[in-house]
Amino acid sequence: MSKPSASLLDLKSLSSSQIHRLFSLAQEIKTKNRAYQPTGLTIGLLFFEASTRTRISFETAAHRIGLSPLLLDGGGSSLEKGESVEDSILNVAAMNPHILVIRCGDSVNLEEMSRNIPCGILNAGWGVKGHPTQALLDVFTMQQTMGLESGVMEGKKILFVGDIRHSRVAASHFEISKTLKTQVAVCAPAEFQPESNPTKTFLDLNEGLSWADVVIVLRCQFERHQSGFKIFSTEEYRRNYGLSAARLKNLKAQGLIMHPGPINHGIEMESEVLADPRCRVLQQVSNGVFVREAILRSTLMSTVEGSLL
Ligand code: CP
């Protein structure tokens, strides 16, 4: 099988016109809600790290366009017999799925694997390197909610609060912000600041919220913290960086509140925030299906046209 499909491993390689076309397709999918017949093609969903939203939304999108999902999520697989993640990917690829959706740790070299695997690979969360489909669905949700045409995100102010250093979502947002020319700022304790900080920094969350058009709260990624990393108390973190109804008085009336999920309730965000009319957390999840369906359809089309979108 010759290499038929494009991969989506990061957002550096997507131009603003490709993002615009993807969002137009996602909007058309959302509006028309078309059902497709089974295609006889398969899609491998390989999740070597835990997932609810990304896995189920890719699976839903696959069903909607007639792709049969083949799920490998670790439980009961030959990983338990010591098979490596790389060998697992190569063996599923040898069964000729049309697309592989992969969530894995940083140690896997997805770029090299994508050169040796004939089908397109879609990054569904790759260590702390990136989570491109999440950033795309976030920006799609911003545009939809703000009533913006694609391409006019320029200058919009996006504030990231929380564990930015360990967040692949933030990493992908920093990539797409360069393409869409949005302004990005962070508010986090020193331990959670990005290592190379391309952004504006707020020490005070209230000041950051006053500045922002959109606040994206990030999960404290305890599983990625090395032992001994937790040098502040959860209560102190909540007091200084936790989003609460009281804090939200500082956010514009038209501001948006987002979180990629899952949420640590009572740590980075109080449950009451979900009831705020500016909160878009579940809309992000709904839009994830449309954006991922658009990506799958674009990847299928690239079989003919040779490049994604
Ligand atoms: N946002 C996100 O990636 O969620 P899951 O880990 O549940 O897929």
Side-chain angles (χ1 to χ4, degrees):
M1 188 172 159
S2 61
K3 179 129 188 133
S5 300
S7 295
L8 180 62
L9 300 183
D10 58 54
L11 292 177
K12 295 190 287 263
S13 48
L14 278 193
S15 66
S16 55
S17 58
Q18 285 174 309
I19 294 168
H20 178 79
R21 284 202 291 280
L22 178 74
F23 288 174
S24 298
L25 182 55
Q27 178 56 36
E28 186 191 317
I29 290 165
K30 185 171 182 173
T31 311
K32 294 195 176 154
N33 202 19
R34 248 178 90 187
Y36 287 76
Q37 297 300 315
T39 58
L41 301 173
T42 57
I43 176 171
L45 303 179
L46 312 187
F47 281 74
F48 301 101
E49 289 184 356
S51 170
T52 297
R53 281 146 288 269
T54 312
R55 182 171 77 73
I56 302 286
S57 61
F58 264 119
E59 198 170 346
T60 304
H63 280 296
R64 285 166 55 102
I65 58 174
L67 293 173
S68 300
L70 311 173
L71 179 63
L72 184 77
D73 62 3
S77 78
S78 287
L79 288 167
E80 291 175 3
K81 295 185 264 184
E83 186 166 36
S84 68
V85 168
E86 288 84 350
D87 279 352
S88 303
I89 294 171
L90 289 172
N91 277 269
V92 176
M95 297 177 213
N96 288 331
H98 211 73
I99 301 171
L100 281 178
V101 173
I102 300 178
R103 171 168 289 193
C104 61
D106 286 298
S107 63
V108 179
N109 191 338
L110 276 188
E111 273 160 15
E112 189 182 315
M113 297 202 85
S114 77
R115 287 192 283 275
N116 298 319
I117 286 175
C119 65
I121 294 180
L122 304 180
N123 170 358
W126 180 11
V128 298
K129 291 185 202 301
H131 193 352
T133 65
Q134 179 70 44
L136 286 166
L137 75 88
D138 290 346
V139 176
F140 180 76
T141 304
M142 290 175 206
Q143 289 196 350
Q144 291 245 306
T145 317
M146 294 171 165
L148 301 173
E149 293 300 319
S150 286
V152 290
M153 284 298 293
E154 184 168 347
K156 289 290 171 200
K157 295 172 181 163
I158 305 175
L159 175 70
F160 293 86
V161 180
D163 193 355
I164 297 143
R165 183 174 301 184
H166 304 99
S167 172
R168 53 192 170 210
V169 176
S172 287
H173 270 283
F174 293 154
E175 289 178 0
I176 201 170
S177 72
K178 292 195 178 86
T179 309
L180 299 180
K181 300 186 171 52
T182 50
Q183 298 183 60
V184 176
V186 299
C187 181
E191 304 81 4
F192 285 176
Q193 297 271 346
E195 272 170 26
S196 59
N197 189 346
T199 60
K200 193 176 173 69
T201 300
F202 287 98
L203 299 176
D204 181 81
L205 179 53
N206 292 340
E207 283 178 22
L209 290 171
S210 305
W211 170 85
D213 296 309
V214 182
V215 53
I216 300 185
V217 182
L218 297 168
R219 182 173 67 89
C220 288
Q221 307 221 3
F222 296 115
E223 75 280 14
R224 295 193 198 282
H225 302 168
Q226 282 153 16
S227 57
F229 179 85
K230 215 170 143 188
I231 56 172
F232 51 81
S233 75
T234 303
E235 190 43 49
E236 186 186 344
Y237 182 82
R238 180 186 193 179
R239 199 166 49 246
N240 292 325
Y241 301 101
L243 203 62
S244 62
R247 289 265 195 208
L248 283 174
K249 292 192 175 75
N250 296 287
L251 184 67
K252 295 168 186 159
Q254 303 301 322
L256 301 182
I257 304 154
M258 295 185 161
H259 190 306
I263 297 169
N264 290 311
H265 290 258
I267 299 181
E268 71 259 6
M269 187 186 265
E270 300 300 321
S271 303
E272 65 202 14
V273 172
L274 294 170
D276 189 292
R278 294 166 291 182
C279 185
R280 293 288 174 259
V281 168
L282 289 181
Q283 194 179 335
Q284 288 171 265
V285 177
S286 302
N287 284 335
V289 175
F290 306 123
V291 170
R292 290 183 173 120
E293 183 177 329
I295 292 168
L296 294 183
R297 281 175 52 176
S298 301
T299 307
L300 289 174
M301 283 188 269
S302 74
T303 303
V304 180
E305 295 176 11
S307 68
L308 188 67
L309 302 164

